[in-house]
Amino acid sequence: GRKGSRRKIASFSASGYFLFSSRSEWDSRLCRSRPIYLYTGRGPSSSAMHLGHLVPFLFTQWLQEALDCPLVIQMTDDEKFLFKGTYDEHTGDNLDHFANLTMENARDIIACGFNFHKTFLFSDLDYVGRMYPNIVRIWKSVTTNTVNGIFGFDGTSNIGKIAFPAVQAAPSFASSFPTVLQAARNSPMACLIPCAIDQDPYFRMTRDVSHKMVINHKEHKLGGKPALIHSKFFPPLQGAKGKMSSSDSNSAIFLTDTPDEIDRKIKQHAFSGGQESKALQEELGADLEQDVAYQWLRFFLEDDDELERIGKEYGAGKGEYWSTGKVKKRLITELQALVATHQERRAKITDEEVRKWMEERSIVG
């Protein structure tokens, strides 16, 4: 079940499957940098979340449990409107659409098993006022040239896009949460950000202005800077060259998929690293690095010994797991259980429940 998935992800964190921005920073400073809080987020661009979206949250959930610390989760409904919003002269704009997606996505995130008493989930549209003093400080510290250089904006970009990076940077500082983290600008709290590698530019910009954001930053364990953990690439069904996309239902396993859909997608669309014939497979074995079913099992299979055995047998083309079909079948069983458990948990989460997680309240102590 899902608990096993979390343990699996935990073992990957130790083996470098999740890549720390700096191993020495993690080992020598961060784990001694109490107090600490986690910060992660999601841009709610689609109500259909897939496994690629879920993996970083499962990892964050494990981290919260392992470090026993508070967590803030930012829903960037403002960003999605600025980058993807539309306007119609009859119906107006679709900002409310992205606000509604926040509620939908929040259910999937809560279903990952976070600790309610130590987790604050917030929509930028709701919470931005509390962060505004820090957003203004970041705006003052970063030039338009810098932002354009990092993100590729130019004179044709709307002014919201250019201003937005400061909104994503602000939660990196505990003082953006005066009630939630009980933090002032001289707070010693260190921020740890588990995120995908594509978010790195935001936080490189953040680290460059950190000294201006934290009073007595030289006394802060990390100099006021947030620390990052980058999650390793989770391959789409079509293999490393493909892209998981909410608009292509065959590129990913969605959290709404039925057991039959999971079965069909893995069998038909999961890129195989196996050979073209039985004879070749028995002679050469599979290319495990290219094989999506095996790579996904590395994320989701609970039993390390079983994973090792599958890798050896499939890689050699011998034993129970000699063929692509056998490996895919094992993955299908695992994913069907994971998704079914997730759907069961999600179904119990009402709007009222989501609003409790989004209520401004202290999550420390």
Side-chain angles (χ1 to χ4, degrees):
R2 230 185 35 76
K3 192 172 180 189
S5 309
R6 294 206 303 275
R7 281 206 297 276
K8 190 72 216 165
I9 288 167
S11 73
F12 285 144
S13 75
S15 65
Y17 208 78
F18 286 87
L19 303 175
F20 305 119
S21 58
S22 157
R23 172 70 74 172
S24 61
E25 180 173 69
W26 169 263
D27 286 343
S28 65
R29 298 173 75 185
L30 192 65
C31 287
R32 291 202 294 269
S33 294
R34 302 287 182 171
I36 185 175
Y37 74 100
L38 296 167
Y39 160 39
T40 194
R42 162 142 176 89
S45 57
S46 163
S47 59
M49 282 178 68
H50 53 61
L51 286 179
H53 297 134
L54 194 68
V55 163
F57 285 106
L58 290 174
F59 177 56
T60 303
Q61 190 282 331
W62 173 78
L63 265 179
Q64 183 184 43
E65 209 170 273
L67 296 172
D68 188 28
C69 66
L71 160 69
V72 295
I73 304 173
Q74 179 182 47
M75 306 297 283
T76 57
D77 33 23
D78 51 348
E79 174 200 24
K80 290 303 170 188
F81 175 69
L82 291 168
F83 283 78
K84 296 186 174 184
T86 57
Y87 175 79
D88 180 279
E89 59 181 80
H90 301 296
T91 57
D93 64 43
N94 64 343
L95 181 58
D96 289 347
H97 165 70
F98 293 101
N100 291 334
L101 286 181
T102 284
M103 296 295 283
E104 285 302 309
N105 287 183
R107 287 187 175 82
D108 286 305
I109 292 167
I110 292 166
C112 291
F114 294 106
N115 178 344
F116 170 78
H117 300 290
K118 295 192 174 184
T119 304
F120 175 53
L121 197 150
F122 64 98
S123 144
D124 281 343
L125 289 172
D126 278 343
Y127 187 72
V128 74
R130 288 299 241 169
M131 302 192 292
Y132 194 63
N134 277 348
I135 291 169
V136 170
R137 290 184 178 106
I138 297 164
W139 281 339
K140 174 74 170 162
S141 305
V142 182
T143 66
T144 310
N145 283 344
T146 297
V147 169
N148 290 354
I150 294 172
F151 299 101
F153 301 144
D154 59 30
T156 67
S157 305
N158 69 58
I159 57 176
K161 287 184 181 181
I162 293 162
F164 176 75
V167 180
Q168 185 160 323
S172 309
F173 305 104
S175 58
S176 293
F177 303 95
T179 299
V180 172
L181 297 178
Q182 299 283 299
R185 287 190 65 212
N186 61 352
S187 170
M189 280 191 113
C191 178
L192 174 60
I193 306 173
C195 64
I197 193 86
D198 64 351
Q199 299 300 303
D200 193 55
Y202 283 103
F203 299 115
R204 267 184 302 154
M205 182 200 84
T206 307
R207 287 166 70 96
D208 286 346
V209 301
S210 299
H211 61 286
K212 295 184 178 179
M213 303 300 297
V214 178
I215 293 174
N216 300 332
H217 67 91
K218 288 179 180 171
E219 293 169 24
H220 187 280
K221 294 266 177 44
L222 299 179
K225 296 177 179 182
L228 305 184
I229 301 183
H230 292 143
S231 52
K232 201 173 181 186
F233 181 63
F234 181 67
L237 280 176
Q238 283 86 348
K241 290 179 182 164
K243 185 175 186 322
M244 268 190 213
S245 168
S246 296
S247 55
D248 177 3
S249 64
N250 288 324
S251 70
I253 298 296
F254 289 85
L255 301 177
T256 50
D257 282 350
T258 64
D260 286 348
E261 284 171 327
I262 293 171
D263 186 89
R264 176 187 63 79
K265 285 184 188 181
I266 297 297
K267 283 177 178 168
Q268 291 181 14
H269 298 288
F271 186 82
S272 170
Q275 304 300 328
E276 288 178 14
S277 68
K278 183 178 180 184
L280 274 176
Q281 175 65 14
E282 289 176 337
E283 183 191 340
L284 302 172
D287 181 342
L288 300 181
E289 290 302 311
Q290 296 299 316
D291 192 89
V292 167
Y294 176 74
Q295 289 298 325
W296 280 28
L297 281 169
R298 289 178 70 184
F299 277 92
F300 297 119
L301 195 59
E302 178 179 345
D303 188 331
D304 285 323
D305 294 335
E306 186 184 4
L307 180 72
E308 190 180 350
R309 182 164 73 91
I310 291 170
K312 277 184 181 165
E313 292 181 359
Y314 190 33
K318 295 172 177 62
E320 183 188 350
Y321 291 106
W322 71 275
S323 70
T324 298
K326 300 283 187 188
V327 177
K328 283 187 173 184
K329 190 177 177 189
R330 183 67 191 86
L331 175 65
I332 288 164
T333 305
E334 204 62 30
L335 294 183
Q336 285 172 336
L338 177 89
V339 173
T341 304
H342 182 85
Q343 289 171 355
E344 206 176 292
R345 287 177 174 222
R346 189 189 192 282
K348 294 174 183 164
I349 299 166
T350 61
D351 278 0
E352 190 184 356
E353 173 82 359
V354 173
R355 279 191 280 271
K356 284 181 186 170
W357 288 74
M358 297 178 81
E359 191 179 305
E360 190 180 0
R361 67 203 190 283
S362 172
I363 58 169
V364 292

